[in-house]
Amino acid sequence: MASYYTSLGLFVISVPGLWSLIKRSVKSKVVQRTFIGEGEEKAAPSRVAGEILSFFTRNNFSVTDRGETITFEGMMVPSRGQAALLTFCTCISLASVALVLTITLPDFGNNWFWITALSPLAGAYYWKRASRKEQIKVKMIVGNDGTLSEIIVQGDDQQLEEMRKELKLSEKGMVYVKGLFEKS
């Protein structure tokens, strides 16, 4: 009986979470972050602007609007790793559903585990719908003395994190500690 309730708990936790995971996999998480330059970058706003332009150009973004806020637009493409992870997580979740069903409806036996064969559909769903147009907005604030004060960026969370790492920017109010997996 304890095994049944454990399996039922897995079922209740995994099915709604699985649905949410699959649906959210194709959507971008838009955030706004404020960065501050460090060292030499703080004194040269034109250099930082060039580095930001270069970063987005290398990542297949183009400038669509110039003004106080610069807007970059580009296509996000699906990731094989993300599709594989989604397929794997779906397989594990469907296996827990099959486990509950084998206990609840034993007449069908272990044949319930065949529903794990549906897990590649989650990867296919992601692959078909993950291509999307992204917009990144960048606003640079220059202080009275002509030095760069802040860079306000709004866009996809993953793109902003890549930009932060590559351009060695610090988020305002945050202290980054070099970790085991972060390259210097």
Side-chain angles (χ1 to χ4, degrees), residues 127-172:
W127 198 259
K128 185 177 178 183
R129 291 190 162 91
S131 292
R132 63 188 182 275
K133 191 176 277 195
E134 281 294 331
Q135 249 189 12
I136 310 261
K137 297 183 180 210
V138 179
K139 181 178 183 179
M140 296 179 65
I141 300 173
V142 179
N144 293 336
D145 59 352
T147 60
L148 183 62
S149 177
E150 295 178 345
I151 305 165
I152 301 170
V153 187
Q154 179 182 347
D156 179 60
D157 187 39
Q158 291 176 338
Q159 285 291 324
L160 298 189
E161 187 61 22
E162 279 183 43
M163 183 185 87
R164 180 195 68 79
K165 286 180 180 177
E166 190 170 316
L167 301 182
K168 295 180 177 75
L169 298 171
S170 295
E171 193 169 349
K172 189 175 185 179

Short mmCIF file of all heavy atoms in Angstrom, two decimals, residues 127-172:
data_model
loop_
_atom_site.label_atom_id
_atom_site.label_comp_id
_atom_site.label_asym_id
_atom_site.label_seq_id
_atom_site.Cartn_x
_atom_site.Cartn_y
_atom_site.Cartn_z
N TRP A 127 10.88 21.28 -31.00
CA TRP A 127 11.64 21.56 -32.22
C TRP A 127 10.80 22.34 -33.23
O TRP A 127 11.30 23.22 -33.92
CB TRP A 127 12.13 20.26 -32.83
CG TRP A 127 13.24 20.47 -33.79
CD1 TRP A 127 13.15 20.49 -35.15
CD2 TRP A 127 14.60 20.74 -33.49
NE1 TRP A 127 14.36 20.74 -35.71
CE2 TRP A 127 15.29 20.90 -34.71
CE3 TRP A 127 15.31 20.86 -32.30
CZ2 TRP A 127 16.64 21.16 -34.77
CZ3 TRP A 127 16.66 21.12 -32.37
CH2 TRP A 127 17.31 21.27 -33.59
N LYS A 128 9.51 22.03 -33.29
CA LYS A 128 8.63 22.69 -34.26
C LYS A 128 8.29 24.12 -33.84
O LYS A 128 8.16 25.00 -34.68
CB LYS A 128 7.35 21.87 -34.41
CG LYS A 128 6.42 22.38 -35.47
CD LYS A 128 5.21 21.49 -35.62
CE LYS A 128 4.28 22.06 -36.67
NZ LYS A 128 3.06 21.27 -36.80
N ARG A 129 8.17 24.37 -32.55
CA ARG A 129 7.68 25.67 -32.08
C ARG A 129 8.72 26.58 -31.44
O ARG A 129 8.42 27.70 -31.08
CB ARG A 129 6.55 25.44 -31.09
CG ARG A 129 5.31 24.88 -31.74
CD ARG A 129 4.16 24.90 -30.75
NE ARG A 129 2.89 24.77 -31.43
CZ ARG A 129 2.28 23.62 -31.66
NH1 ARG A 129 2.87 22.50 -31.32
NH2 ARG A 129 1.10 23.59 -32.25
N ALA A 130 9.95 26.11 -31.28
CA ALA A 130 10.95 26.90 -30.55
C ALA A 130 11.54 28.05 -31.36
O ALA A 130 12.09 28.98 -30.78
CB ALA A 130 12.07 25.99 -30.04
N SER A 131 11.45 28.00 -32.68
CA SER A 131 11.95 29.12 -33.49
C SER A 131 11.05 30.32 -33.27
O SER A 131 9.83 30.23 -33.45
CB SER A 131 11.96 28.75 -34.97
OG SER A 131 12.91 27.77 -35.21
N ARG A 132 11.65 31.42 -32.86
CA ARG A 132 10.85 32.61 -32.60
C ARG A 132 11.72 33.84 -32.78
O ARG A 132 12.93 33.79 -32.69
CB ARG A 132 10.25 32.57 -31.20
CG ARG A 132 11.31 32.56 -30.11
CD ARG A 132 10.70 32.33 -28.73
NE ARG A 132 11.70 32.36 -27.70
CZ ARG A 132 12.44 31.33 -27.33
NH1 ARG A 132 12.30 30.18 -27.91
NH2 ARG A 132 13.34 31.46 -26.37
N LYS A 133 11.05 34.95 -33.04
CA LYS A 133 11.75 36.21 -33.19
C LYS A 133 11.89 36.85 -31.81
O LYS A 133 10.93 36.97 -31.07
CB LYS A 133 10.96 37.15 -34.12
CG LYS A 133 11.74 38.37 -34.53
CD LYS A 133 10.95 39.20 -35.50
CE LYS A 133 11.15 38.61 -36.87
NZ LYS A 133 10.73 39.49 -37.95
N GLU A 134 13.11 37.20 -31.48
CA GLU A 134 13.40 37.82 -30.17
C GLU A 134 13.75 39.28 -30.37
O GLU A 134 14.36 39.66 -31.36
CB GLU A 134 14.59 37.14 -29.50
CG GLU A 134 14.29 35.84 -28.84
CD GLU A 134 13.36 35.94 -27.65
OE1 GLU A 134 13.32 36.98 -26.96
OE2 GLU A 134 12.66 34.96 -27.42
N GLN A 135 13.38 40.07 -29.38
CA GLN A 135 13.74 41.49 -29.36
C GLN A 135 14.52 41.78 -28.09
O GLN A 135 14.11 41.38 -27.01
CB GLN A 135 12.47 42.35 -29.36
CG GLN A 135 12.26 43.09 -30.62
CD GLN A 135 11.11 44.09 -30.52
OE1 GLN A 135 10.62 44.40 -29.45
NE2 GLN A 135 10.72 44.60 -31.66
N ILE A 136 15.62 42.47 -28.25
CA ILE A 136 16.44 42.89 -27.12
C ILE A 136 16.55 44.41 -27.19
O ILE A 136 16.91 44.95 -28.24
CB ILE A 136 17.85 42.28 -27.16
CG1 ILE A 136 17.80 40.78 -27.39
CG2 ILE A 136 18.66 42.69 -25.95
CD1 ILE A 136 17.93 39.89 -26.23
N LYS A 137 16.23 45.08 -26.09
CA LYS A 137 16.31 46.54 -26.04
C LYS A 137 17.44 46.94 -25.10
O LYS A 137 17.52 46.45 -23.98
CB LYS A 137 14.98 47.13 -25.58
CG LYS A 137 13.86 46.83 -26.55
CD LYS A 137 12.57 47.46 -26.14
CE LYS A 137 11.53 47.09 -27.17
NZ LYS A 137 10.51 48.05 -27.33
N VAL A 138 18.29 47.85 -25.59
CA VAL A 138 19.46 48.29 -24.83
C VAL A 138 19.42 49.80 -24.70
O VAL A 138 19.26 50.51 -25.69
CB VAL A 138 20.77 47.86 -25.53
CG1 VAL A 138 21.98 48.34 -24.74
CG2 VAL A 138 20.82 46.36 -25.73
N LYS A 139 19.57 50.26 -23.48
CA LYS A 139 19.65 51.71 -23.23
C LYS A 139 20.88 51.96 -22.37
O LYS A 139 21.05 51.36 -21.31
CB LYS A 139 18.40 52.19 -22.50
CG LYS A 139 18.40 53.67 -22.22
CD LYS A 139 17.11 54.10 -21.55
CE LYS A 139 17.10 55.60 -21.33
NZ LYS A 139 15.87 56.04 -20.70
N MET A 140 21.76 52.84 -22.88
CA MET A 140 22.97 53.17 -22.14
C MET A 140 22.79 54.55 -21.50
O MET A 140 22.41 55.50 -22.18
CB MET A 140 24.18 53.15 -23.07
CG MET A 140 24.45 51.78 -23.63
SD MET A 140 25.84 51.73 -24.74
CE MET A 140 27.18 52.13 -23.66
N ILE A 141 23.08 54.62 -20.23
CA ILE A 141 22.97 55.89 -19.50
C ILE A 141 24.38 56.38 -19.21
O ILE A 141 25.18 55.69 -18.57
CB ILE A 141 22.15 55.72 -18.21
CG1 ILE A 141 20.74 55.24 -18.56
CG2 ILE A 141 22.13 57.01 -17.42
CD1 ILE A 141 19.89 54.87 -17.38
N VAL A 142 24.67 57.58 -19.69
CA VAL A 142 26.00 58.19 -19.52
C VAL A 142 25.88 59.26 -18.44
O VAL A 142 24.96 60.08 -18.45
CB VAL A 142 26.50 58.79 -20.85
CG1 VAL A 142 27.85 59.44 -20.67
CG2 VAL A 142 26.55 57.72 -21.92
N GLY A 143 26.84 59.25 -17.51
CA GLY A 143 26.85 60.23 -16.42
C GLY A 143 27.26 61.61 -16.90
O GLY A 143 27.67 61.81 -18.05
N ASN A 144 27.17 62.60 -16.04
CA ASN A 144 27.52 63.99 -16.35
C ASN A 144 28.98 64.14 -16.76
O ASN A 144 29.32 65.04 -17.53
CB ASN A 144 27.23 64.90 -15.15
CG ASN A 144 25.74 65.00 -14.87
OD1 ASN A 144 24.92 64.79 -15.77
ND2 ASN A 144 25.40 65.30 -13.62
N ASP A 145 29.83 63.26 -16.23
CA ASP A 145 31.27 63.35 -16.55
C ASP A 145 31.64 62.61 -17.84
O ASP A 145 32.81 62.49 -18.19
CB ASP A 145 32.10 62.82 -15.38
CG ASP A 145 31.77 61.38 -15.03
OD1 ASP A 145 30.80 60.82 -15.59
OD2 ASP A 145 32.49 60.82 -14.18
N GLY A 146 30.64 62.08 -18.56
CA GLY A 146 30.89 61.41 -19.84
C GLY A 146 31.23 59.94 -19.72
O GLY A 146 31.50 59.28 -20.71
N THR A 147 31.21 59.41 -18.50
CA THR A 147 31.50 57.98 -18.32
C THR A 147 30.19 57.21 -18.30
O THR A 147 29.13 57.74 -17.98
CB THR A 147 32.27 57.72 -17.02
OG1 THR A 147 31.48 58.16 -15.91
CG2 THR A 147 33.62 58.42 -17.03
N LEU A 148 30.29 55.94 -18.62
CA LEU A 148 29.12 55.07 -18.65
C LEU A 148 28.62 54.81 -17.24
O LEU A 148 29.37 54.38 -16.37
CB LEU A 148 29.48 53.73 -19.33
CG LEU A 148 28.36 52.74 -19.51
CD1 LEU A 148 27.26 53.31 -20.40
CD2 LEU A 148 28.90 51.46 -20.11
N SER A 149 27.36 55.11 -17.01
CA SER A 149 26.78 54.92 -15.69
C SER A 149 26.10 53.57 -15.58
O SER A 149 26.40 52.78 -14.69
CB SER A 149 25.79 56.05 -15.41
OG SER A 149 25.16 55.85 -14.18
N GLU A 150 25.17 53.30 -16.51
CA GLU A 150 24.41 52.05 -16.47
C GLU A 150 24.06 51.61 -17.89
O GLU A 150 23.97 52.42 -18.80
CB GLU A 150 23.10 52.21 -15.70
CG GLU A 150 23.24 52.51 -14.25
CD GLU A 150 21.88 52.71 -13.57
OE1 GLU A 150 20.86 52.90 -14.25
OE2 GLU A 150 21.88 52.68 -12.33
N ILE A 151 23.81 50.32 -18.02
CA ILE A 151 23.30 49.75 -19.26
C ILE A 151 22.03 49.00 -18.87
O ILE A 151 22.09 48.03 -18.11
CB ILE A 151 24.30 48.77 -19.91
CG1 ILE A 151 25.65 49.44 -20.11
CG2 ILE A 151 23.74 48.22 -21.21
CD1 ILE A 151 26.77 48.47 -20.41
N ILE A 152 20.89 49.45 -19.37
CA ILE A 152 19.62 48.79 -19.06
C ILE A 152 19.25 47.95 -20.28
O ILE A 152 19.14 48.46 -21.40
CB ILE A 152 18.52 49.82 -18.76
CG1 ILE A 152 18.94 50.69 -17.57
CG2 ILE A 152 17.19 49.12 -18.50
CD1 ILE A 152 18.05 51.88 -17.32
N VAL A 153 19.09 46.65 -20.05
CA VAL A 153 18.82 45.72 -21.15
C VAL A 153 17.56 44.92 -20.83
O VAL A 153 17.39 44.44 -19.71
CB VAL A 153 20.01 44.74 -21.35
CG1 VAL A 153 19.80 43.90 -22.59
CG2 VAL A 153 21.32 45.48 -21.45
N GLN A 154 16.69 44.81 -21.83
CA GLN A 154 15.47 44.02 -21.67
C GLN A 154 15.42 43.00 -22.80
O GLN A 154 15.58 43.35 -23.97
CB GLN A 154 14.23 44.91 -21.75
CG GLN A 154 12.94 44.16 -21.62
CD GLN A 154 11.72 45.06 -21.73
OE1 GLN A 154 11.84 46.29 -21.67
NE2 GLN A 154 10.58 44.47 -21.90
N GLY A 155 15.22 41.73 -22.43
CA GLY A 155 15.16 40.68 -23.44
C GLY A 155 15.19 39.31 -22.82
O GLY A 155 14.96 39.15 -21.61
N ASP A 156 15.47 38.31 -23.65
CA ASP A 156 15.50 36.92 -23.23
C ASP A 156 16.58 36.70 -22.17
O ASP A 156 17.72 37.14 -22.33
CB ASP A 156 15.76 36.02 -24.44
CG ASP A 156 15.82 34.56 -24.07
OD1 ASP A 156 14.81 34.05 -23.54
OD2 ASP A 156 16.87 33.94 -24.29
N ASP A 157 16.21 36.02 -21.11
CA ASP A 157 17.09 35.79 -19.96
C ASP A 157 18.40 35.11 -20.37
O ASP A 157 19.48 35.51 -19.93
CB ASP A 157 16.34 34.93 -18.93
CG ASP A 157 17.10 34.76 -17.64
OD1 ASP A 157 17.73 35.74 -17.19
OD2 ASP A 157 17.07 33.65 -17.07
N GLN A 158 18.34 34.11 -21.23
CA GLN A 158 19.55 33.40 -21.64
C GLN A 158 20.48 34.30 -22.45
O GLN A 158 21.70 34.26 -22.27
CB GLN A 158 19.19 32.16 -22.45
CG GLN A 158 18.54 31.08 -21.62
CD GLN A 158 18.10 29.90 -22.47
OE1 GLN A 158 17.92 30.02 -23.67
NE2 GLN A 158 17.96 28.75 -21.83
N GLN A 159 19.92 35.11 -23.33
CA GLN A 159 20.75 36.02 -24.14
C GLN A 159 21.44 37.05 -23.25
O GLN A 159 22.61 37.38 -23.44
CB GLN A 159 19.89 36.74 -25.19
CG GLN A 159 19.52 35.87 -26.35
CD GLN A 159 20.71 35.52 -27.21
OE1 GLN A 159 21.62 36.32 -27.42
NE2 GLN A 159 20.71 34.31 -27.73
N LEU A 160 20.70 37.57 -22.26
CA LEU A 160 21.29 38.58 -21.37
C LEU A 160 22.40 37.98 -20.52
O LEU A 160 23.42 38.63 -20.27
CB LEU A 160 20.22 39.20 -20.47
CG LEU A 160 19.09 39.95 -21.17
CD1 LEU A 160 18.24 40.69 -20.15
CD2 LEU A 160 19.60 40.90 -22.21
N GLU A 161 22.23 36.73 -20.12
CA GLU A 161 23.28 36.07 -19.32
C GLU A 161 24.52 35.83 -20.17
O GLU A 161 25.64 36.03 -19.71
CB GLU A 161 22.75 34.75 -18.75
CG GLU A 161 23.70 34.09 -17.79
CD GLU A 161 24.04 34.90 -16.56
OE1 GLU A 161 23.28 35.81 -16.17
OE2 GLU A 161 25.12 34.65 -15.98
N GLU A 162 24.33 35.42 -21.42
CA GLU A 162 25.48 35.25 -22.33
C GLU A 162 26.20 36.58 -22.53
O GLU A 162 27.43 36.63 -22.52
CB GLU A 162 25.02 34.73 -23.68
CG GLU A 162 24.80 33.24 -23.73
CD GLU A 162 24.41 32.78 -25.12
OE1 GLU A 162 25.03 33.25 -26.11
OE2 GLU A 162 23.49 31.96 -25.23
N MET A 163 25.44 37.65 -22.72
CA MET A 163 26.04 38.97 -22.92
C MET A 163 26.82 39.39 -21.68
O MET A 163 27.94 39.89 -21.78
CB MET A 163 24.94 40.01 -23.22
CG MET A 163 25.52 41.39 -23.52
SD MET A 163 24.26 42.65 -23.74
CE MET A 163 24.01 43.16 -22.05
N ARG A 164 26.25 39.17 -20.50
CA ARG A 164 26.92 39.54 -19.26
C ARG A 164 28.26 38.83 -19.14
O ARG A 164 29.29 39.43 -18.83
CB ARG A 164 26.05 39.19 -18.04
CG ARG A 164 26.74 39.56 -16.72
CD ARG A 164 26.10 38.91 -15.53
NE ARG A 164 26.27 37.48 -15.48
CZ ARG A 164 27.39 36.84 -15.07
NH1 ARG A 164 28.45 37.52 -14.71
NH2 ARG A 164 27.45 35.53 -15.03
N LYS A 165 28.27 37.53 -19.45
CA LYS A 165 29.51 36.75 -19.32
C LYS A 165 30.54 37.17 -20.35
O LYS A 165 31.71 37.36 -20.02
CB LYS A 165 29.21 35.26 -19.46
CG LYS A 165 28.54 34.67 -18.26
CD LYS A 165 28.26 33.20 -18.46
CE LYS A 165 27.58 32.59 -17.26
NZ LYS A 165 27.26 31.18 -17.48
N GLU A 166 30.11 37.31 -21.60
CA GLU A 166 31.06 37.60 -22.67
C GLU A 166 31.65 39.00 -22.54
O GLU A 166 32.83 39.21 -22.77
CB GLU A 166 30.39 37.44 -24.04
CG GLU A 166 31.40 37.51 -25.16
CD GLU A 166 30.81 37.11 -26.49
OE1 GLU A 166 30.09 36.11 -26.54
OE2 GLU A 166 31.10 37.83 -27.47
N LEU A 167 30.82 39.99 -22.18
CA LEU A 167 31.31 41.36 -22.08
C LEU A 167 31.83 41.69 -20.69
O LEU A 167 32.23 42.82 -20.43
CB LEU A 167 30.19 42.34 -22.47
CG LEU A 167 29.63 42.16 -23.88
CD1 LEU A 167 28.57 43.22 -24.16
CD2 LEU A 167 30.72 42.21 -24.92
N LYS A 168 31.79 40.71 -19.79
CA LYS A 168 32.27 40.88 -18.41
C LYS A 168 31.63 42.08 -17.72
O LYS A 168 32.29 42.93 -17.14
CB LYS A 168 33.80 40.99 -18.40
CG LYS A 168 34.49 39.73 -18.85
CD LYS A 168 35.99 39.87 -18.83
CE LYS A 168 36.68 38.60 -19.22
NZ LYS A 168 36.66 38.27 -20.62
N LEU A 169 30.30 42.11 -17.78
CA LEU A 169 29.53 43.16 -17.12
C LEU A 169 29.05 42.65 -15.77
O LEU A 169 28.86 41.45 -15.59
CB LEU A 169 28.32 43.56 -17.98
CG LEU A 169 28.63 44.15 -19.34
CD1 LEU A 169 27.34 44.29 -20.15
CD2 LEU A 169 29.31 45.50 -19.20
N SER A 170 28.84 43.57 -14.85
CA SER A 170 28.29 43.22 -13.54
C SER A 170 26.89 43.77 -13.45
O SER A 170 26.64 44.92 -13.81
CB SER A 170 29.14 43.82 -12.42
OG SER A 170 30.42 43.25 -12.41
N GLU A 171 25.99 42.93 -12.95
CA GLU A 171 24.63 43.40 -12.76
C GLU A 171 24.60 44.29 -11.52
O GLU A 171 25.26 44.00 -10.51
CB GLU A 171 23.69 42.21 -12.57
CG GLU A 171 22.24 42.59 -12.68
CD GLU A 171 21.33 41.38 -12.77
OE1 GLU A 171 21.81 40.26 -12.96
OE2 GLU A 171 20.12 41.60 -12.63
N LYS A 172 23.87 45.38 -11.63
CA LYS A 172 23.80 46.34 -10.54
C LYS A 172 23.27 45.66 -9.28
O LYS A 172 22.26 44.98 -9.30
CB LYS A 172 22.87 47.50 -10.94
CG LYS A 172 22.89 48.65 -9.99
CD LYS A 172 22.05 49.78 -10.53
CE LYS A 172 22.15 50.99 -9.65
NZ LYS A 172 21.35 52.09 -10.18
#
